[in-house]
């Protein structure tokens, strides 16, 4: 019955070493393997970032070309997995589809000691869009689509499978940038879950299934979907102001705002906001962005809170023609890179993660047989 003081939700606790990502809380900065998120979003591609996070250095042009080709060849679905996806109900939560898909793949292609170090990571990076869109098209349109495409990028591959046409280049690049922004964020809840499972020396797939489970919640990855639903439910900026004031009075959380680590702003938010505004201009939007911006203003005035990556990602995805229930699964398709990098780093210098709890129960009691 110790009385240790503990921060709620482990806030501010340094829970381990990592050389993958630096989340600068005070200066609103974010580095992946020492490169700024601004440079990566401007000059890089998701595949380049995936390589960087996993292997620790940027790929040469030749390595990147080979890697893109390798990922393309890993997009196929085994027949057994297709059957399982066909059996999952059409109204299932799409995060559950990815979690089950990942778990099923772990049975069909289990981890063995002989596999090269990055084999499962690369397979999962390549296969998640195939899993989701095979299931989606089967249940919404009754067809068994061919999931192999010739697109070099995951973003192009995803949009082609979803929309069944040549992806618009602005949409493709917007999605590519968003996958870069979502790829890694040090010891967030899902990554820490992955590391905790990895620390028991469990298998690769179990770690990733745990990560998907943690990301599904609206306080983490699920926030982008709830943000979109809220924005779409509001008729105008004036209505947004009224509704947000009311929600705040009722002590409701506004999804897509605030952050555990950043205190003044999320460095990823201005990048995705610019993309959302650019796409909005292209379609002559007079609703989504004006409403979003009024919500942002009210949140600053009333709570001094700023939008996190999830808030304007919602608008950006919407303008790319992506259905809202796919927003959090897209987060998985990106964050799988960070999860895998952390899993491998944890395995590299492993120590079982097992903290202690502060006991708050009753004093010891003498055993009595109950009547
Ligand atoms: N809407 C309204 N109020 C919010 C808020 C939000 N999005 N985020 C934080 N607050 C308020 C809290 O209610 C609390 O107010 P109080 O002191 O009056 O009780 C205060 O700000 C501190 O918040 P707290 O919940 O202690 O911060 P946290 O570090 O535990 O939470 C988040 C961080 C991200 C979980 C939190 O900001 C949140 O729930 N955001 C919405 C979900 C979201 O967008 N998640 C994606 C994160 S990238």
């Amino acid at each position: 019955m110790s009385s240790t003081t503990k921060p709620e939700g482990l806030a501010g606790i340094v829970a381990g070493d990592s050389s993958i990502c630096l989340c600068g809380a005070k200066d609103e900065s974010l580095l992946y393997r020492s490169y700024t998120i601004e440079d990566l979003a401007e000059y890089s591609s998701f595949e380049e970032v995936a390589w960087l996070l996993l292997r620790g250095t940027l790929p040469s042009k030749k390595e990147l070309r080979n890697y893109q080709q390798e990922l393309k060849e890993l997009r196929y679905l085994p027949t057994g997995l297709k059957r399982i996806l066909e059996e999952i109900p059409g109204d299932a939560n799409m995060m559950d589809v990815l979690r089950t898909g990942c778990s099923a793949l772990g049975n069909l292609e289990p981890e063995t000691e002989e596999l090269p170090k990055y084999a499962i990571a690369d397979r999962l990076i390549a296969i998640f869009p195939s899993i989701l869109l095979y299931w989606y098209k089967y249940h919404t349109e009754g067809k068994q689509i061919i999931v192999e495409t010739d697109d070099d990028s995951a973003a192009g591959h995803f949009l082609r499978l979803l929309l069944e046409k040549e992806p618009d280049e602005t949409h493709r690049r917007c999605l590519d940038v968003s996958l870069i922004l979502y790829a890694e964020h040090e010891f967030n809840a899902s990554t820490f879950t992955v590391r905790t499972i990895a620390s028991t020396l469990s298998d690769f797939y179990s770690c990733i299934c745990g990560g998907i489970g943690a990301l599904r919640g609206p306080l983490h990855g699920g926030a982008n979907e709830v943000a979109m639903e809220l924005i779409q439910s509001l008729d105008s900026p004036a209505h947004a102001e009224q509704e947000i004031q009311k929600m705040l009075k009722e002590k409701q959380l506004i999804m897509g705002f605030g952050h555990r680590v950043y205190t003044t702003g999320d460095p990823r938010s201005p990048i995705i906001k610019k993309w959302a505004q650019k796409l909005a201009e292209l379609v002559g939007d007079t609703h989504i962005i004006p409403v979003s911006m009024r919500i942002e203003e009210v949140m600053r005035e009333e709570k001094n809170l700023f939008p996190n990556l999830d808030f304007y990602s919602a608008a950006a995805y919407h303008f790319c023609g992506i259905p809202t229930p796919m927003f959090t699964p897209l987060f998985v398709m990106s964050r799988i890179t960070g999860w895998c990098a952390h899993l491998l780093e944890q395995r590299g210098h492993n120590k079982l993660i097992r903290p202690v709890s502060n006991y708050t129960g009753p004093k010891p009691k003498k055993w009595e047989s109950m009547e």
Side-chain angles (χ1 to χ4, degrees), residues 198-238:
S199 83
T200 70
L201 302 183
S202 186
D203 75 298
F204 212 105
Y205 296 95
S206 299
C207 300
I208 302 304
C209 286
I212 296 171
L215 192 70
R216 189 186 191 286
L219 292 191
H220 192 6
N224 52 15
E225 293 181 18
V226 189
M228 191 71 240
E229 284 155 14
L230 174 67
I231 295 162
Q232 283 183 313
S233 74
L234 302 165
D235 304 330
S236 64

Side-chain angles (χ1 to χ4, degrees), residues 218-221 223 248 251-260 266 268 299 303 305 308-310:
L219 292 191
H220 192 6
L248 290 177
K251 298 260 171 228
Q252 289 191 52
L253 286 174
I254 312 300
M255 295 301 162
F257 285 85
H259 201 270
R260 171 59 68 75
D266 179 337
R268 303 164 298 175
M299 288 302 283
K303 297 288 288 185
L305 280 173
N308 57 48
L309 173 59
D310 285 324

Side-chain angles (χ1 to χ4, degrees), residues 117-152:
K117 184 173 177 187
Y118 303 111
I120 298 178
D122 290 340
R123 178 76 165 123
L124 289 173
I125 292 168
I127 204 175
F128 275 141
S130 308
I131 290 177
L132 185 74
L133 291 163
Y134 183 87
W135 168 85
Y136 181 72
K137 292 283 170 175
Y138 182 82
H139 290 284
T140 56
E141 294 170 30
K143 48 186 188 197
Q144 296 169 310
I145 57 161
I146 293 167
V147 291
E148 291 85 350
T149 74
D150 200 32
D151 292 271
D152 284 338

Side-chain angles (χ1 to χ4, degrees), residues 158-348:
F158 179 89
L159 289 174
R160 185 183 299 275
L161 290 184
L162 174 66
L163 305 170
E164 295 181 52
K165 59 177 187 183
E166 185 69 25
D168 172 279
E169 179 49 26
T170 317
H171 291 171
R172 191 207 64 79
R173 179 60 184 151
C174 172
L175 186 54
D176 191 42
V177 169
S178 124
L179 295 177
I180 293 171
L181 300 178
Y182 269 125
E184 163 57 8
H185 220 211
E186 52 122 281
F187 281 16
N188 56 82
S190 57
T191 302
F192 196 63
T193 303
V194 168
R195 289 192 79 125
T196 303
I197 302 175
S199 83
T200 70
L201 302 183
S202 186
D203 75 298
F204 212 105
Y205 296 95
S206 299
C207 300
I208 302 304
C209 286
I212 296 171
L215 192 70
R216 189 186 191 286
L219 292 191
H220 192 6
N224 52 15
E225 293 181 18
V226 189
M228 191 71 240
E229 284 155 14
L230 174 67
I231 295 162
Q232 283 183 313
S233 74
L234 302 165
D235 304 330
S236 64
H239 185 207
E241 177 158 359
Q242 203 184 10
E243 191 57 26
I244 297 298
Q245 304 268 22
K246 181 169 154 264
M247 289 174 77
L248 290 177
K249 251 191 210 120
E250 290 165 359
K251 298 260 171 228
Q252 289 191 52
L253 286 174
I254 312 300
M255 295 301 162
F257 285 85
H259 201 270
R260 171 59 68 75
V261 177
Y262 303 120
T263 50
T264 53
D266 179 337
R268 303 164 298 175
S269 177
I271 302 172
I272 200 66
K273 182 177 174 181
K274 254 192 216 150
W275 274 99
Q277 286 173 315
K278 183 173 171 170
L279 299 189
E281 268 168 38
L282 289 177
V283 293
D285 164 68
T286 54
H287 177 227
I288 300 287
I289 291 295
V291 164
S292 304
M293 288 177 69
R294 183 62 63 86
I295 298 176
E296 182 181 356
E297 281 162 17
V298 176
M299 288 302 283
R300 275 206 201 275
E301 283 161 21
E302 297 293 325
K303 297 288 288 185
N304 199 21
L305 280 173
F306 52 87
N308 57 48
L309 173 59
D310 285 324
F311 189 64
Y312 283 103
S313 295
Y317 286 168
H318 172 79
F319 291 127
C320 288
I322 299 169
T324 304
M326 288 186 185
F327 291 5
T328 317
L330 274 167
F331 197 157
V332 173
M333 291 171 204
S334 160
R335 186 58 60 85
I336 180 65
T337 55
W339 288 339
C340 294
H342 279 273
L343 190 165
L344 295 172
E345 188 182 59
Q346 180 69 33
R347 285 181 173 180

Side-chain angles (χ1 to χ4, degrees), residues 18-76:
S18 178
S19 62
I20 300 168
C21 165
L22 178 63
C23 208
K26 292 196 184 106
D27 60 356
E28 295 172 27
S29 65
L30 177 60
L31 307 178
Y32 294 171
R33 301 279 192 192
S34 75
Y35 294 96
T36 68
I37 195 66
E38 289 79 9
D39 279 354
L40 292 170
E42 184 70 31
Y43 307 115
S44 196
S45 68
F46 172 65
E47 284 65 28
E48 202 169 13
V49 166
W51 176 287
L52 171 72
L53 288 170
L54 284 168
R55 287 142 175 105
T57 54
L58 283 171
S60 67
K61 286 208 166 61
K62 187 170 169 225
E63 282 171 330
L64 181 60
R65 265 197 314 276
N66 290 342
Y67 189 46
Q68 286 167 331
Q69 185 56 35
E70 199 186 313
L71 290 176
K72 270 194 240 181
E73 288 165 13
L74 291 171
R75 287 175 181 161
Y76 68 93

